[in-house]
């Protein structure tokens, strides 16, 4: 069963830059997919189309068999509660603790207050940050910040997790810790799509790899493929 | 939504603490604008009051022919009363007129030796609207027995009518301009607070918060700016008007200024209402500009 389907998708920005063109991709439930490509190739645009941060100029994007390009603005929040997103820059609130940053995602979506602590504790234990729940982001390492961001993305129990260069700012140890967590989340049934530059990760993880170059799918290969170094 | 109110308040209080200076700037903008608005409304209300009072005391005076019998005067009164815009007609004989004049200038001008034939017999006609004085005067002047019909300072009435219309129209224009500029000014200040919290907004959008949830704390913030700003403006304007009204009533009692008790309650409610409305509207516009969903 496909979770994400792009049908002849094109995306142009206001200034006329063509970010994506003629993209046809099908991603099944529970897959782990790497999106690779040089800077500006269209990886982030691909992810933005999935959580409806951008609308395609043409073509359709289906999430769980629903065309989200026709989704009304008022329904976008409900789509996003089913899609977790993490970024290279973590996007955490500096004045909130780890616990509060995660709880915030529940509070702003109207989750009843009594249910929040347990849900936050559950995701903290998945990412292994229970001990540091009262710390502020400035007291955390880069890897721990990304784990907090992952925990926040997971707190709605999404069926899709999007990761836009999540290890871009991390040291190798933290990078592999993040990858282990993402792999674990994927093993529990969540579809994970990760945009990355890091070919070392891609080659070691042995997952499906979609290469995007110049806004087009240059190749879409299964887990066994060895991907060469990318030009930057 | 009801269960989310504590969250809105908590977020609002947190934002007020974190953006103290911007919040003070925003509430101050509301304060200055509602103060100017209130000040201007008081001026308009009082000038309108002065002109309408001045106009309401003016009457058409019909000078009667000396030969007219009292019986004929009675018939004339009935005829004049039939004119739709006429409210009352009062006969003032020359003796009565002189008596009134003497009372008016008692101790100032000696009128004791003025012969009683100096003044004519007249009819004093009160009309419903000052602008009808012209037509009533023109009409009754044609009636036999009336030598002349005029009203005191015809030009003055004309000027008062024009002044009153000018104040009314320009008042409405200035109030509209003030309100529009208030929305822009407050909107700009609130946009700064919204901008300082763009990260929260982006995160809220990302994790699936609805538009209402994102806007809620900002709208409450705008509401507080409105209450505080217009509240301070009211607290400044009230004693100022009390002081001015007291001074005018004591020193220049002939100026019919509206007593504070008559105007301030309505004005205060209007200013606080306007402050709240404008600030929440401005807040809503500002946050909408940052929302992508």
């Amino acid at each position: 069963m496909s979770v994400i389907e792009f049908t002849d998708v094109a995306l142009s920005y206001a200034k006329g830059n063509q970010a994506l063109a003629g993209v046809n991709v099908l991603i099944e439930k529970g897959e782990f997919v790497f999106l690779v490509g040089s800077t500006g190739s269209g990886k982030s645009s691909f992810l933005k189309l999935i959580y409806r941060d951008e609308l395609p100029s043409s073509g359709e994007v289906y999430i769980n068999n629903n065309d989200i390009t026709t989704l009304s603005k008022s329904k976008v929040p409900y789509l996003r509660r089913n899609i977790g997103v993490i970024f290279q820059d973590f996007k955490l609130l500096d004045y909130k603790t780890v616990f509060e940053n995660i709880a915030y995602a529940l509070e702003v979506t109207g989750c009843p207050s009594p249910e929040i602590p347990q849900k936050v504790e559950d995701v903290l234990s998945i990412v292994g940050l229970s001990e540091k729940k009262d710390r502020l982001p400035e007291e955390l390492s880069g890897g721990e910040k990304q784990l907090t961001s992952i925990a926040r993305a997971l707190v709605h129990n999404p069926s899709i997790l999007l990761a836009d260069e999540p290890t871009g700012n991390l040291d190798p140890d933290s990078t592999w810790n993040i990858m282990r967590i993402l792999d674990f989340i994927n093993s529990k049934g969540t579809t994970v799509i990760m945009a990355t530059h890091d070919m070392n990760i891609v080659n070691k993880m042995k997952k499906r790899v979609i290469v995007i170059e110049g806004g087009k799918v240059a190749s879409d290969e299964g887990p066994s493929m060895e991907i060469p170094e990318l030009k930057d | 939504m009801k269960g989310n109110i504590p969250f809105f308040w908590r977020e609002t209080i947190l934002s007020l603490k974190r953006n103290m200076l911007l919040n003070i700037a925003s509430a101050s903008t509301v304060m200055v604008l509602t103060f100017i608005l209130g000040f201007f409304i008081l001026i308009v209300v009082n000038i309108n009051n002065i002109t309408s009072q001045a106009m309401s005391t003016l009457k058409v005076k019909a000078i009667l022919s000396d030969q007219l019998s009292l019986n004929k005067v009675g018939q004339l009164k009935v005829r004049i009363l039939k004119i739709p815009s006429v409210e009352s007609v009062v006969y003032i004989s020359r003796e009565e007129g002189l008596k009134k004049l003497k009372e008016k200038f008692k101790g100032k001008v000696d009128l004791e030796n003025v012969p009683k034939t100096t003044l004519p017999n007249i009819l004093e006609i009160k009309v419903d609207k000052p602008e009808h004085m012209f037509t009533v005067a023109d009409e009754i002047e044609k009636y036999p027995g009336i030598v002349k019909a005029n009203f005191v300072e015809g030009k003055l009435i004309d000027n008062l009518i024009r002044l009153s219309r000018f104040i009314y129209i320009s008042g409405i224009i200035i109030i509209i301009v003030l309100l529009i500029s208030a929305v822009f000014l407050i909107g700009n200040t609130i946009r700064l607070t919204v901008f300082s919290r763009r990260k929260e907004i982006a995160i809220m959008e990302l994790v699936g918060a609805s538009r209402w949830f994102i806007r809620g704390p900002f709208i409450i913030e705008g509401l507080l700016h409105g209450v505080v700003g217009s509240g301070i403006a009211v607290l400044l304007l009230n004693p100022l008007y009390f002081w001015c009204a007291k001074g005018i009533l004591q020193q220049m009692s002939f100026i019919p200024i509206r007593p504070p008790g008559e105007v301030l309650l309505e004005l205060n409610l209007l200013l606080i209402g306007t402050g709240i409305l404008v600030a929440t509207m401005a807040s809503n516009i500002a946050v909408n500009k940052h929302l992508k969903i």
Side-chain angles (χ1 to χ4, degrees):
Chain A
M1 186 186 140
S2 73
V3 171
I4 299 164
E5 186 179 351
F6 278 45
T7 311
D8 206 18
V9 169
L11 173 64
S12 301
Y13 289 111
K15 287 176 184 169
N17 299 336
Q18 181 90 18
L20 292 170
V23 175
N24 289 289
V25 168
L26 200 82
I27 295 170
E28 301 288 335
K29 186 176 185 301
E31 270 196 283
F32 194 125
V33 180
F34 283 111
L35 277 182
V36 297
S38 50
T39 307
S41 58
K43 303 188 295 294
S44 294
S45 299
F46 186 99
L47 295 180
K48 282 178 180 178
L49 286 167
I50 298 173
Y51 65 95
R52 254 268 324 236
D53 198 37
E54 294 290 349
L55 270 172
S57 320
S58 63
E60 288 96 44
V61 178
Y62 294 90
I63 304 293
N64 293 323
N65 294 320
N66 295 312
D67 183 2
I68 62 161
T69 57
T70 57
L71 204 63
S72 68
K73 274 188 172 184
S74 62
K75 294 210 172 114
V76 171
Y78 301 97
L79 166 80
R80 291 190 182 166
R81 289 175 204 179
N82 193 33
I83 300 173
V85 193
I86 59 171
F87 298 92
Q88 188 172 353
D89 62 356
F90 321 122
K91 298 200 190 301
L92 298 175
L93 296 172
D94 306 330
Y95 60 92
K96 287 188 188 282
T97 63
V98 168
F99 186 96
E100 289 166 344
N101 261 291
I102 301 163
Y104 190 65
L106 291 168
E107 287 169 331
V108 300
T109 47
C111 178
S113 303
E115 294 176 20
I116 294 175
Q118 190 55 53
K119 287 189 175 183
V120 176
E121 292 292 352
D122 288 348
V123 287
L124 279 171
S125 70
I126 292 174
V127 299
L129 270 186
S130 300
E131 306 273 299
K132 297 185 176 175
K133 66 178 180 183
D134 295 324
R135 296 207 184 168
L136 289 168
E138 63 182 14
E139 298 168 313
L140 302 174
S141 69
E144 288 165 339
K145 284 179 190 169
Q146 194 57 283
L147 289 173
T148 309
S149 170
I150 293 173
R152 184 182 61 195
L154 288 180
V155 80
H156 286 303
N157 201 15
S159 64
I160 300 167
L161 181 66
L162 306 176
D164 194 356
E165 305 272 6
T167 57
N169 284 337
L170 305 181
D171 59 73
D173 281 350
S174 300
T175 296
W176 284 110
N177 190 29
I178 296 293
M179 292 317 300
R180 267 193 297 275
I181 298 278
L182 291 180
D183 202 28
F184 172 75
I185 293 162
N186 176 241
S187 71
K188 297 290 174 193
T190 306
T191 308
V192 178
I193 302 161
M194 174 171 157
T196 185
H197 259 108
D198 193 335
M199 297 318 296
N200 189 27
I201 296 173
V202 176
N203 288 329
K204 281 192 178 155
M205 292 286 289
K206 307 276 185 211
K207 304 284 185 186
R208 178 180 168 188
V209 181
I210 298 172
V211 181
I212 298 181
E213 280 308 332
K216 291 183 175 163
V217 176
S219 74
D220 184 353
E221 302 290 342
S224 58
M225 188 207 173
E226 279 279 317
I227 306 293
E229 280 297 314
L230 290 166
K231 291 173 281 176
D232 218 354
Chain B
M1 185 58 81
K2 200 179 158 191
N4 306 321
I5 301 295
F7 168 75
F8 286 161
W9 278 109
R10 207 177 62 230
E11 285 300 305
T12 306
I13 291 163
L14 199 65
S15 164
L16 289 176
K17 280 185 191 162
R18 292 182 62 235
N19 302 299
M20 188 64 88
L21 275 176
L22 283 172
N23 283 299
I24 290 172
S26 194
S28 306
T29 317
V30 178
M31 185 199 78
V32 170
L33 285 157
T34 44
F35 183 85
I36 295 171
L37 188 71
F39 190 78
F40 192 77
I41 289 173
L42 283 174
I43 290 176
V44 170
V45 162
N46 278 295
I47 291 181
N48 264 341
N49 195 43
I50 292 165
T51 50
S52 65
Q53 285 227 1
M55 288 190 291
S56 70
T57 58
L58 296 171
K59 290 164 186 160
V60 175
K61 291 189 178 172
I63 299 169
L64 303 174
S65 152
D66 285 346
Q67 286 79 37
L68 213 61
S69 66
L70 276 175
N71 191 23
K72 290 273 181 196
V73 171
Q75 287 172 12
L76 207 53
K77 273 175 76 174
V78 172
R79 193 175 172 191
I80 294 169
L81 273 169
K82 282 181 183 163
I83 301 171
S85 52
V86 170
E87 284 183 344
S88 66
V89 182
V90 178
Y91 171 68
I92 299 169
S93 66
R94 51 167 50 111
E95 293 83 4
E96 215 178 318
L98 188 62
K99 201 176 148 194
K100 277 189 181 177
L101 209 63
K102 280 179 182 171
E103 275 169 18
K104 195 174 177 183
F105 292 102
K106 197 176 178 183
K108 293 174 187 164
V109 184
D110 183 17
L111 297 170
E112 286 310 311
N113 298 322
V114 175
K116 67 175 188 180
T117 50
T118 309
L119 295 176
N121 294 322
I122 59 162
L123 285 177
E124 251 185 20
I125 301 139
K126 196 168 180 245
V127 292
D128 57 354
K129 284 180 184 166
E131 47 267 47
H132 289 151
M133 291 177 123
F134 297 94
T135 47
V136 170
D138 283 349
E139 172 69 22
I140 63 172
E141 218 170 38
K142 295 172 197 157
Y143 296 176
I146 291 179
V147 180
K148 192 173 171 56
N150 64 4
F151 36 87
V152 185
E153 308 287 351
K155 207 177 168 189
L156 173 74
I157 292 185
D158 199 26
N159 286 340
L160 277 176
I161 292 169
R162 282 186 197 186
L163 178 70
S164 153
R165 276 194 193 139
F166 173 77
I167 290 169
Y168 185 73
I169 294 167
S170 55
I172 286 178
I173 292 171
I174 291 174
I175 287 168
I176 291 171
V177 169
L178 267 176
L179 286 177
I180 293 172
S181 52
V183 171
F184 276 103
L185 273 172
I186 299 164
N188 267 337
T189 320
I190 293 176
R191 265 168 80 180
L192 289 174
T193 64
V194 173
F195 185 74
S196 72
R197 292 175 61 197
R198 62 196 181 283
K199 199 170 176 185
E200 278 97 325
I201 295 176
I203 291 169
M204 283 197 258
E205 283 189 313
L206 190 68
V207 298
S210 67
R211 280 176 75 84
W212 258 109
F213 234 103
I214 300 173
R215 287 189 302 190
F218 291 100
I219 290 174
I220 294 180
E221 223 172 295
L223 193 131
L224 289 177
H225 295 156
V227 172
V228 173
S230 58
I232 295 172
V234 160
L235 288 178
L236 293 174
L237 208 56
N238 280 244
L240 182 71
Y241 188 67
F242 265 107
W243 181 72
C244 287
K246 196 181 163 194
I248 291 170
L249 287 170
Q250 279 176 355
Q251 307 293 320
M252 294 171 278
S253 56
F254 57 90
I255 297 178
I257 194 154
R258 296 278 301 269
E262 266 182 30
V263 281
L264 286 180
L265 180 66
E266 278 177 21
L267 180 78
N268 292 345
L269 291 175
L270 178 78
L271 290 182
I272 291 172
T274 308
I276 291 172
L277 186 75
V278 168
T280 44
M281 254 175 69
S283 184
N284 199 23
I285 293 170
V287 74
N288 275 350
K289 286 198 174 177
H290 272 269
L291 280 181
K292 283 179 87 177
I293 57 167

